[in-house]
Amino acid sequence: MGSRLTEEQADFVAAVRDFAKRECGTREQRDALTGGGREAHHPGLYGRLAALGWLGVCLPEEYGGSGGGLADACLFLEETSYGMVPAGGFITTVIAAKAYEKFGTERQRQEVLSGVVRGEVLSIAMSEPGAGSDVGALRCRARREEDGTWVVDGQKTWISNAHCARHILLVARTGEDKHGGLTMFHLPAGTPGVEIRRIDTMGGREVNDVFLTGVRLPADAVVGRVDDGWRQLMAGLNHERLFLAANMLGLARRAFDDTVSYVREREQFGRPVGSFQALRHRIADLATEIECTRLLVREVALDCDARPDRLFPREASMAKLKATETAKRAALEGMQMMGGYGYTTEFDMERHLRAAVVSTVYGGTSEIQRDVIGKTYGL
């Protein structure tokens, strides 16, 4: 199938593009929705996406979803990213939702997945001040009381969308084994003992510190099995890395199109700067890289849909590595080709760069992705 879309998928992509153009097609609209670019998520606009039925694009029909696959979710992420739709809560939501779908109890799935379809945001609390790439170093601890309830103490950091999430999928230590002692928990927003502090970054205010002090959770808050969190996390890496790749593919395309539009119009020495060979070759190279990325991301998504019980560590890491590095390159090259205008806040290119540069860090750094790929070759 490759890059070819079904008729239904093509109609879906066209509808998302039309929505993005109508709701946030101008800089003025985007600034109004994002506080001048500081906020990545607008609840009102997100609610309109929910009303259209798009937020359940890859969730089962019994919970109100569309019953689509990962390829459909990737198309949605790509197009909303390209259209600069402030729906930043969706990416952590769909990643967490797939974990609930696979490992949650029926009660958890009914509560969480149906909420996602209605427009509720989910977050994942895994990283800590001393545990990022080394997930097994988590120290946030959940201890089980005699009555079966859990008490959680610790700190999480860099937690995307925790400030607007209805539920947080929390990963905590429940045993001493580095990888065999982790457990996932269902943590509703507003639970006593949870404090969320937003972190300012060059990309805006998307991430948070989450402090947990004597947080009490019921016995049935466990998602999956006790001490099985590591295996469950690994089972979901296909989804996380693929969704991040699709998101950055959309950004790379947008940065590229904005660059081409500029170099066609900007004149120096009596002609458009894009007509000079130095820039024309840069454009050609970027176009080729983005097309390769698009084919890779979509092919991996189709493979995951065709074989849902199989892990694709090599392919998912390749997609994440390629898409994020390409997005960063597209934004950097775009800024260089636009000159001083690319550096100003008058144009979107500086915003593209701020969004792209961190993508090679979160969700597993590019170095970690290369390490994973290398290990799949027995190295």
Side-chain angles (χ1 to χ4, degrees), residues 46-374:
Y46 199 68
R48 292 200 284 280
L49 291 171
L52 290 167
W54 292 344
L55 300 184
V57 61
C58 65
L59 297 181
E61 294 179 357
E62 58 262 39
Y63 305 109
S66 304
L70 301 184
D72 300 310
C74 285
L75 290 173
F76 180 71
L77 279 163
E78 180 185 345
E79 291 304 325
T80 52
S81 179
Y82 179 88
M84 299 184 72
V85 178
F90 181 74
I91 193 160
T92 56
T93 297
V94 71
I95 292 169
K98 298 305 287 186
Y100 278 101
E101 179 187 342
K102 189 175 183 67
F103 301 109
T105 64
E106 181 57 28
R107 184 191 65 79
Q108 289 169 346
R109 289 196 294 267
Q110 286 287 353
E111 178 183 3
V112 174
L113 301 186
S114 61
V116 168
V117 173
R118 295 193 303 270
E120 293 179 358
V121 173
L122 305 179
S123 181
I124 307 169
M126 183 170 62
S127 296
E128 297 178 9
S133 298
D134 185 8
V135 178
L138 296 183
R139 298 178 63 185
C140 175
R141 182 171 292 276
R143 69 177 188 276
R144 184 153 40 187
E145 303 285 81
E146 291 185 1
D147 62 357
T149 61
W150 297 88
V151 179
V152 186
D153 289 282
Q155 179 188 350
K156 297 292 181 178
T157 194
W158 310 121
I159 309 306
S160 299
N161 302 310
H163 61 284
C164 59
R166 178 67 183 85
H167 303 285
I168 297 175
L169 183 62
L170 172 69
V171 184
R173 180 159 297 287
T174 49
E176 299 309 316
D177 184 87
K178 181 173 182 178
H179 293 140
L182 303 178
T183 301
M184 290 181 173
F185 291 93
H186 174 60
L187 176 64
T191 299
V194 178
E195 180 187 359
I196 296 173
R197 299 180 192 171
R198 302 189 69 178
I199 301 172
D200 287 312
T201 71
M202 63 183 289
R205 302 182 73 192
E206 298 179 72
V207 294
N208 308 266
D209 281 318
V210 179
F211 298 90
L212 304 111
T213 307
V215 176
R216 291 190 170 272
L217 297 175
D220 62 0
V222 172
V223 178
R225 296 190 303 180
V226 175
D227 292 338
D228 202 30
W230 174 263
R231 184 191 64 82
Q232 293 172 196
L233 286 170
M234 294 303 103
L237 287 181
N238 284 354
H239 302 149
E240 179 182 14
R241 291 171 181 170
L242 185 58
F243 293 150
L244 292 172
N247 195 46
M248 284 300 109
L249 169 60
L251 190 148
R253 287 178 44 220
R254 180 57 181 258
F256 175 83
D257 284 356
D258 286 356
T259 301
V260 171
S261 178
Y262 180 87
V263 299
R264 281 174 175 165
E265 300 296 326
R266 172 68 169 169
E267 291 191 0
Q268 289 288 276
F269 306 104
R271 67 190 209 190
V273 296
S275 67
F276 290 96
Q277 187 182 66
L279 267 64
R280 192 165 63 241
H281 284 190
R282 278 183 166 179
I283 292 293
D285 286 344
L286 275 179
T288 303
E289 290 299 304
I290 291 171
E291 181 64 12
C292 289
T293 303
R294 185 174 68 91
L295 293 172
L296 175 62
V297 170
R298 293 188 181 177
E299 196 65 30
V300 174
L302 290 169
D303 285 344
C304 290
D305 280 338
R307 305 178 71 176
D309 294 329
R310 179 185 163 187
L311 298 180
F312 289 87
R314 177 188 300 170
E315 295 84 352
S317 286
M318 284 180 172
K320 201 273 182 181
L321 173 65
K322 181 66 175 177
T324 56
E325 292 289 349
T326 298
K328 184 166 69 173
R329 178 183 171 187
L332 282 168
E333 291 273 22
M335 182 171 287
Q336 186 71 25
M337 284 186 271
M338 289 178 67
Y341 289 105
Y343 191 64
T344 69
T345 57
E346 178 184 353
F347 289 83
D348 287 321
M349 193 57 64
E350 59 85 26
R351 192 173 295 184
H352 298 331
L353 179 59
R354 288 189 285 113
V357 73
V358 73
S359 70
T360 60
V361 174
Y362 61 50
T365 64
S366 290
E367 291 76 15
I368 289 293
Q369 304 307 324
R370 292 185 177 100
D371 201 47
V372 169
I373 295 166

